[in-house]
Short mmCIF file of all heavy atoms in Angstrom, two decimals:
data_model
loop_
_atom_site.label_atom_id
_atom_site.label_comp_id
_atom_site.label_asym_id
_atom_site.label_seq_id
_atom_site.Cartn_x
_atom_site.Cartn_y
_atom_site.Cartn_z
N GLN A 1 -7.47 -2.64 1.30
CA GLN A 1 -8.04 -2.08 2.53
C GLN A 1 -8.09 -3.22 3.57
O GLN A 1 -8.62 -4.28 3.32
CB GLN A 1 -9.45 -1.54 2.25
CG GLN A 1 -9.46 -0.35 1.28
CD GLN A 1 -10.85 0.22 1.15
OE1 GLN A 1 -11.82 -0.30 1.71
NE2 GLN A 1 -10.96 1.32 0.44
N LEU A 2 -7.54 -2.90 4.73
CA LEU A 2 -7.47 -3.89 5.81
C LEU A 2 -8.30 -3.42 7.03
O LEU A 2 -8.19 -2.23 7.40
CB LEU A 2 -6.03 -4.12 6.23
CG LEU A 2 -5.07 -4.63 5.19
CD1 LEU A 2 -3.66 -4.82 5.79
CD2 LEU A 2 -5.53 -5.94 4.59
N TYR A 3 -9.11 -4.35 7.57
CA TYR A 3 -9.82 -4.13 8.84
C TYR A 3 -10.84 -3.01 8.75
O TYR A 3 -11.18 -2.39 9.75
CB TYR A 3 -8.85 -3.88 9.97
CG TYR A 3 -7.72 -4.86 10.03
CD1 TYR A 3 -6.38 -4.46 9.85
CD2 TYR A 3 -7.96 -6.23 10.23
CE1 TYR A 3 -5.35 -5.34 9.89
CE2 TYR A 3 -6.90 -7.13 10.26
CZ TYR A 3 -5.60 -6.68 10.07
OH TYR A 3 -4.56 -7.56 10.09
N PHE A 4 -11.39 -2.74 7.55
CA PHE A 4 -12.41 -1.69 7.40
C PHE A 4 -13.76 -2.26 7.87
O PHE A 4 -14.16 -3.34 7.38
CB PHE A 4 -12.52 -1.21 5.95
CG PHE A 4 -11.59 -0.08 5.62
CD1 PHE A 4 -10.24 -0.25 5.69
CD2 PHE A 4 -12.12 1.16 5.26
CE1 PHE A 4 -9.36 0.79 5.37
CE2 PHE A 4 -11.27 2.19 4.92
CZ PHE A 4 -9.91 2.03 4.98
N PRO A 5 -14.46 -1.55 8.74
CA PRO A 5 -15.87 -1.94 9.02
C PRO A 5 -16.76 -1.78 7.81
O PRO A 5 -16.43 -1.01 6.88
CB PRO A 5 -16.25 -0.96 10.15
CG PRO A 5 -14.98 -0.45 10.70
CD PRO A 5 -14.02 -0.41 9.53
N ASN A 6 -17.90 -2.45 7.83
CA ASN A 6 -18.78 -2.38 6.68
C ASN A 6 -19.34 -0.99 6.41
O ASN A 6 -19.72 -0.63 5.28
CB ASN A 6 -19.95 -3.37 6.84
CG ASN A 6 -19.48 -4.79 6.79
OD1 ASN A 6 -18.45 -5.10 6.13
ND2 ASN A 6 -20.18 -5.70 7.48
N ASN A 7 -19.43 -0.18 7.47
CA ASN A 7 -20.00 1.16 7.34
C ASN A 7 -19.00 2.26 7.08
O ASN A 7 -19.29 3.44 7.16
CB ASN A 7 -20.82 1.51 8.60
CG ASN A 7 -19.92 1.63 9.82
OD1 ASN A 7 -18.85 1.01 9.88
ND2 ASN A 7 -20.38 2.44 10.79
N VAL A 8 -17.77 1.87 6.74
CA VAL A 8 -16.70 2.85 6.52
C VAL A 8 -16.14 2.66 5.15
O VAL A 8 -15.89 1.53 4.69
CB VAL A 8 -15.57 2.73 7.53
CG1 VAL A 8 -14.48 3.76 7.26
CG2 VAL A 8 -16.12 2.87 8.98
N SER A 9 -15.91 3.79 4.43
CA SER A 9 -15.32 3.75 3.10
C SER A 9 -14.39 4.99 2.94
O SER A 9 -14.29 5.81 3.85
CB SER A 9 -16.36 3.77 1.98
OG SER A 9 -17.19 4.93 2.10
N THR A 10 -13.76 5.09 1.78
CA THR A 10 -12.91 6.27 1.55
C THR A 10 -13.62 7.25 0.64
O THR A 10 -14.64 6.92 0.03
CB THR A 10 -11.58 5.86 0.92
OG1 THR A 10 -11.82 5.32 -0.38
CG2 THR A 10 -10.85 4.81 1.80
N ASN A 11 -13.06 8.45 0.58
CA ASN A 11 -13.69 9.49 -0.23
C ASN A 11 -13.27 9.39 -1.71
O ASN A 11 -13.52 10.29 -2.50
CB ASN A 11 -13.25 10.87 0.28
CG ASN A 11 -11.75 11.09 0.16
OD1 ASN A 11 -11.02 10.13 0.13
ND2 ASN A 11 -11.34 12.36 0.09
N SER A 12 -12.62 8.28 -2.12
CA SER A 12 -12.18 8.15 -3.50
C SER A 12 -12.65 6.81 -4.08
O SER A 12 -12.64 5.82 -3.38
CB SER A 12 -10.65 8.25 -3.57
OG SER A 12 -10.19 8.03 -4.86
N ALA A 13 -13.00 6.85 -5.35
CA ALA A 13 -13.42 5.62 -6.01
C ALA A 13 -12.23 4.89 -6.65
O ALA A 13 -12.40 3.78 -7.16
CB ALA A 13 -14.46 5.93 -7.09
N THR A 14 -11.07 5.50 -6.64
CA THR A 14 -9.91 4.90 -7.29
C THR A 14 -9.42 3.69 -6.52
O THR A 14 -9.52 3.68 -5.26
CB THR A 14 -8.78 5.91 -7.47
OG1 THR A 14 -7.68 5.23 -8.16
CG2 THR A 14 -8.24 6.41 -6.15
N ASN A 15 -8.87 2.75 -7.19
CA ASN A 15 -8.31 1.56 -6.55
C ASN A 15 -6.82 1.49 -6.68
O ASN A 15 -6.20 0.46 -6.41
CB ASN A 15 -8.95 0.28 -7.14
CG ASN A 15 -10.41 0.14 -6.76
OD1 ASN A 15 -10.78 0.43 -5.64
ND2 ASN A 15 -11.22 -0.30 -7.74
N ASN A 16 -6.19 2.62 -7.15
CA ASN A 16 -4.77 2.63 -7.35
C ASN A 16 -4.12 3.94 -6.83
O ASN A 16 -4.82 4.94 -6.72
CB ASN A 16 -4.42 2.52 -8.86
CG ASN A 16 -4.86 1.19 -9.44
OD1 ASN A 16 -4.26 0.17 -9.19
ND2 ASN A 16 -5.93 1.23 -10.25
N VAL A 17 -2.87 3.87 -6.53
CA VAL A 17 -2.08 5.08 -6.19
C VAL A 17 -0.75 4.99 -6.89
O VAL A 17 -0.30 3.90 -7.30
CB VAL A 17 -1.89 5.20 -4.66
CG1 VAL A 17 -3.14 5.41 -3.90
CG2 VAL A 17 -1.11 3.97 -4.12
N SER A 18 -0.10 6.16 -7.04
CA SER A 18 1.25 6.21 -7.58
C SER A 18 2.25 6.21 -6.42
O SER A 18 2.02 6.86 -5.38
CB SER A 18 1.47 7.46 -8.39
OG SER A 18 0.60 7.48 -9.52
N VAL A 19 3.31 5.45 -6.60
CA VAL A 19 4.35 5.43 -5.56
C VAL A 19 5.67 5.75 -6.18
O VAL A 19 6.02 5.31 -7.31
CB VAL A 19 4.41 4.04 -4.87
CG1 VAL A 19 4.81 2.94 -5.83
CG2 VAL A 19 5.42 4.04 -3.70
N GLN A 20 6.45 6.53 -5.46
CA GLN A 20 7.81 6.88 -5.89
C GLN A 20 8.76 6.45 -4.76
O GLN A 20 8.53 6.75 -3.59
CB GLN A 20 7.93 8.40 -6.11
CG GLN A 20 9.32 8.84 -6.59
CD GLN A 20 9.35 10.31 -7.00
OE1 GLN A 20 8.55 10.77 -7.79
NE2 GLN A 20 10.25 11.03 -6.41
N LEU A 21 9.84 5.75 -5.15
CA LEU A 21 10.74 5.21 -4.13
C LEU A 21 12.15 5.09 -4.69
O LEU A 21 12.39 5.21 -5.89
CB LEU A 21 10.23 3.87 -3.61
CG LEU A 21 9.89 2.78 -4.63
CD1 LEU A 21 11.16 2.06 -5.11
CD2 LEU A 21 8.91 1.78 -4.02
N LEU A 22 13.10 4.86 -3.79
CA LEU A 22 14.49 4.57 -4.18
C LEU A 22 14.79 3.16 -3.84
O LEU A 22 14.48 2.68 -2.74
CB LEU A 22 15.44 5.53 -3.42
CG LEU A 22 15.29 7.02 -3.68
CD1 LEU A 22 16.31 7.81 -2.80
CD2 LEU A 22 15.54 7.38 -5.14
N VAL A 23 15.47 2.46 -4.78
CA VAL A 23 15.80 1.06 -4.54
C VAL A 23 17.31 0.87 -4.78
O VAL A 23 17.89 1.42 -5.69
CB VAL A 23 14.97 0.12 -5.46
CG1 VAL A 23 15.20 0.45 -6.93
CG2 VAL A 23 15.28 -1.31 -5.15
N ASP A 24 17.90 0.08 -3.93
CA ASP A 24 19.32 -0.28 -4.03
C ASP A 24 19.55 -0.85 -5.41
O ASP A 24 18.88 -1.78 -5.85
CB ASP A 24 19.66 -1.32 -2.93
CG ASP A 24 21.13 -1.67 -2.86
OD1 ASP A 24 21.80 -1.68 -3.92
OD2 ASP A 24 21.61 -1.94 -1.74
N GLU A 25 20.53 -0.28 -6.15
CA GLU A 25 20.78 -0.71 -7.52
C GLU A 25 21.08 -2.21 -7.63
O GLU A 25 20.83 -2.85 -8.63
CB GLU A 25 21.92 0.09 -8.17
CG GLU A 25 23.25 -0.09 -7.48
CD GLU A 25 24.34 0.72 -8.13
OE1 GLU A 25 24.13 1.30 -9.25
OE2 GLU A 25 25.46 0.81 -7.52
N ARG A 26 21.61 -2.81 -6.56
CA ARG A 26 21.93 -4.21 -6.57
C ARG A 26 20.69 -5.10 -6.38
O ARG A 26 20.75 -6.30 -6.58
CB ARG A 26 22.95 -4.51 -5.45
CG ARG A 26 24.24 -3.74 -5.55
CD ARG A 26 25.05 -3.81 -4.31
NE ARG A 26 24.33 -3.23 -3.15
CZ ARG A 26 24.85 -3.15 -1.92
NH1 ARG A 26 26.07 -3.61 -1.69
NH2 ARG A 26 24.12 -2.66 -0.97
N LYS A 27 19.60 -4.48 -5.94
CA LYS A 27 18.36 -5.26 -5.62
C LYS A 27 17.22 -4.97 -6.56
O LYS A 27 16.08 -5.38 -6.26
CB LYS A 27 17.93 -4.90 -4.20
CG LYS A 27 18.98 -5.19 -3.11
CD LYS A 27 19.14 -6.70 -2.89
CE LYS A 27 20.05 -6.97 -1.71
NZ LYS A 27 20.18 -8.40 -1.44
N GLN A 28 17.51 -4.34 -7.71
CA GLN A 28 16.42 -4.00 -8.62
C GLN A 28 15.66 -5.23 -9.10
O GLN A 28 14.45 -5.25 -9.29
CB GLN A 28 16.95 -3.20 -9.79
CG GLN A 28 17.44 -1.81 -9.45
CD GLN A 28 17.87 -1.03 -10.66
OE1 GLN A 28 17.02 -0.48 -11.36
NE2 GLN A 28 19.15 -0.99 -10.93
N GLY A 29 16.41 -6.29 -9.33
CA GLY A 29 15.78 -7.51 -9.82
C GLY A 29 14.82 -8.14 -8.80
O GLY A 29 13.92 -8.90 -9.19
N GLU A 30 14.98 -7.82 -7.52
CA GLU A 30 14.13 -8.39 -6.48
C GLU A 30 12.86 -7.59 -6.28
O GLU A 30 11.94 -8.03 -5.51
CB GLU A 30 14.88 -8.47 -5.14
CG GLU A 30 16.10 -9.38 -5.22
CD GLU A 30 16.87 -9.42 -3.90
OE1 GLU A 30 16.19 -9.19 -2.86
OE2 GLU A 30 18.05 -9.75 -3.88
N LEU A 31 12.81 -6.39 -6.89
CA LEU A 31 11.66 -5.49 -6.66
C LEU A 31 10.36 -6.14 -7.16
O LEU A 31 9.33 -6.06 -6.48
CB LEU A 31 11.91 -4.16 -7.35
CG LEU A 31 10.99 -3.01 -6.96
CD1 LEU A 31 11.13 -2.68 -5.48
CD2 LEU A 31 11.30 -1.77 -7.79
N GLU A 32 10.39 -6.78 -8.31
CA GLU A 32 9.17 -7.37 -8.88
C GLU A 32 8.64 -8.51 -8.04
O GLU A 32 7.45 -8.71 -7.93
CB GLU A 32 9.46 -7.83 -10.33
CG GLU A 32 9.76 -6.68 -11.29
CD GLU A 32 9.98 -7.19 -12.70
OE1 GLU A 32 9.78 -8.42 -12.90
OE2 GLU A 32 10.33 -6.38 -13.55
N SER A 33 9.56 -9.26 -7.44
CA SER A 33 9.14 -10.43 -6.66
C SER A 33 8.49 -10.03 -5.33
O SER A 33 7.91 -10.89 -4.64
CB SER A 33 10.36 -11.34 -6.37
OG SER A 33 11.32 -10.67 -5.58
N LEU A 34 8.56 -8.77 -4.98
CA LEU A 34 7.99 -8.31 -3.68
C LEU A 34 6.45 -8.24 -3.76
O LEU A 34 5.78 -8.19 -2.72
CB LEU A 34 8.53 -6.93 -3.32
CG LEU A 34 9.98 -6.89 -2.85
CD1 LEU A 34 10.41 -5.47 -2.57
CD2 LEU A 34 10.19 -7.77 -1.63
N ASN A 35 5.88 -8.14 -5.00
CA ASN A 35 4.44 -8.01 -5.13
C ASN A 35 3.96 -6.79 -4.31
O ASN A 35 3.10 -6.96 -3.39
CB ASN A 35 3.74 -9.27 -4.73
CG ASN A 35 2.24 -9.27 -5.14
OD1 ASN A 35 1.83 -8.53 -6.06
ND2 ASN A 35 1.45 -10.05 -4.42
N LEU A 36 4.51 -5.63 -4.58
CA LEU A 36 4.22 -4.46 -3.81
C LEU A 36 2.74 -4.06 -3.93
O LEU A 36 2.14 -4.11 -5.02
CB LEU A 36 5.10 -3.28 -4.27
CG LEU A 36 6.56 -3.39 -3.99
CD1 LEU A 36 7.31 -2.21 -4.55
CD2 LEU A 36 6.84 -3.51 -2.49
N LYS A 37 2.17 -3.66 -2.79
CA LYS A 37 0.78 -3.15 -2.76
C LYS A 37 0.72 -1.97 -1.82
O LYS A 37 1.50 -1.83 -0.89
CB LYS A 37 -0.15 -4.26 -2.26
CG LYS A 37 -0.33 -5.40 -3.18
CD LYS A 37 -1.36 -6.40 -2.61
CE LYS A 37 -1.52 -7.61 -3.58
NZ LYS A 37 -2.49 -8.57 -3.03
N ALA A 38 -0.24 -1.07 -2.12
CA ALA A 38 -0.52 0.07 -1.24
C ALA A 38 -1.55 -0.39 -0.22
O ALA A 38 -2.58 -0.96 -0.58
CB ALA A 38 -1.03 1.27 -2.06
N ILE A 39 -1.31 -0.12 1.07
CA ILE A 39 -2.16 -0.59 2.09
C ILE A 39 -2.82 0.58 2.81
O ILE A 39 -2.20 1.58 3.17
CB ILE A 39 -1.37 -1.41 3.16
CG1 ILE A 39 -0.66 -2.60 2.49
CG2 ILE A 39 -2.22 -1.85 4.30
CD1 ILE A 39 -1.58 -3.61 1.90
N LEU A 40 -4.16 0.42 3.01
CA LEU A 40 -4.91 1.32 3.89
C LEU A 40 -5.35 0.48 5.09
O LEU A 40 -6.26 -0.34 4.97
CB LEU A 40 -6.13 1.90 3.18
CG LEU A 40 -5.85 2.84 2.00
CD1 LEU A 40 -7.13 3.32 1.35
CD2 LEU A 40 -5.02 4.03 2.46
N ASN A 41 -4.71 0.66 6.21
CA ASN A 41 -4.97 -0.12 7.41
C ASN A 41 -5.84 0.73 8.32
O ASN A 41 -5.36 1.73 8.90
CB ASN A 41 -3.68 -0.49 8.12
CG ASN A 41 -3.90 -1.47 9.24
OD1 ASN A 41 -4.97 -1.52 9.87
ND2 ASN A 41 -2.86 -2.28 9.55
N TYR A 42 -7.09 0.27 8.49
CA TYR A 42 -8.04 1.05 9.31
C TYR A 42 -7.56 1.26 10.73
O TYR A 42 -7.83 2.31 11.37
CB TYR A 42 -9.40 0.37 9.30
CG TYR A 42 -10.48 1.11 10.04
CD1 TYR A 42 -11.08 2.24 9.51
CD2 TYR A 42 -10.90 0.66 11.33
CE1 TYR A 42 -12.08 2.94 10.22
CE2 TYR A 42 -11.86 1.34 12.04
CZ TYR A 42 -12.44 2.48 11.46
OH TYR A 42 -13.42 3.16 12.20
N ASN A 43 -6.80 0.32 11.24
CA ASN A 43 -6.30 0.42 12.61
C ASN A 43 -5.27 1.54 12.79
O ASN A 43 -5.02 1.98 13.91
CB ASN A 43 -5.70 -0.89 13.08
CG ASN A 43 -6.74 -2.00 13.22
OD1 ASN A 43 -7.92 -1.72 13.45
ND2 ASN A 43 -6.34 -3.23 13.06
N ASN A 44 -4.70 1.98 11.68
CA ASN A 44 -3.72 3.07 11.72
C ASN A 44 -4.28 4.41 11.33
O ASN A 44 -3.53 5.35 11.01
CB ASN A 44 -2.54 2.72 10.78
CG ASN A 44 -1.80 1.49 11.20
OD1 ASN A 44 -1.77 1.16 12.39
ND2 ASN A 44 -1.20 0.79 10.24
N ARG A 45 -5.63 4.54 11.36
CA ARG A 45 -6.24 5.80 10.95
C ARG A 45 -5.94 6.92 11.93
O ARG A 45 -5.62 6.68 13.08
CB ARG A 45 -7.79 5.60 10.88
CG ARG A 45 -8.43 5.36 12.26
CD ARG A 45 -9.86 4.91 12.09
NE ARG A 45 -10.54 4.73 13.40
CZ ARG A 45 -10.39 3.67 14.15
NH1 ARG A 45 -9.60 2.67 13.78
NH2 ARG A 45 -11.08 3.59 15.32
N ASN A 46 -6.02 8.13 11.48
CA ASN A 46 -5.86 9.32 12.33
C ASN A 46 -7.24 9.69 12.88
O ASN A 46 -8.13 10.14 12.16
CB ASN A 46 -5.30 10.49 11.48
CG ASN A 46 -4.97 11.71 12.34
OD1 ASN A 46 -5.60 11.95 13.38
ND2 ASN A 46 -3.97 12.46 11.93
#
């Protein structure tokens, strides 16, 4: 979670999400080195 004020939280207690994506077959070895994370950026809220 990025830039969340102290008085704001989400409606879920989970700290993980599932992601599905397509990766270039030539770059599969680089996927692990990316250290992928799911981001909730408060500045991009609706």
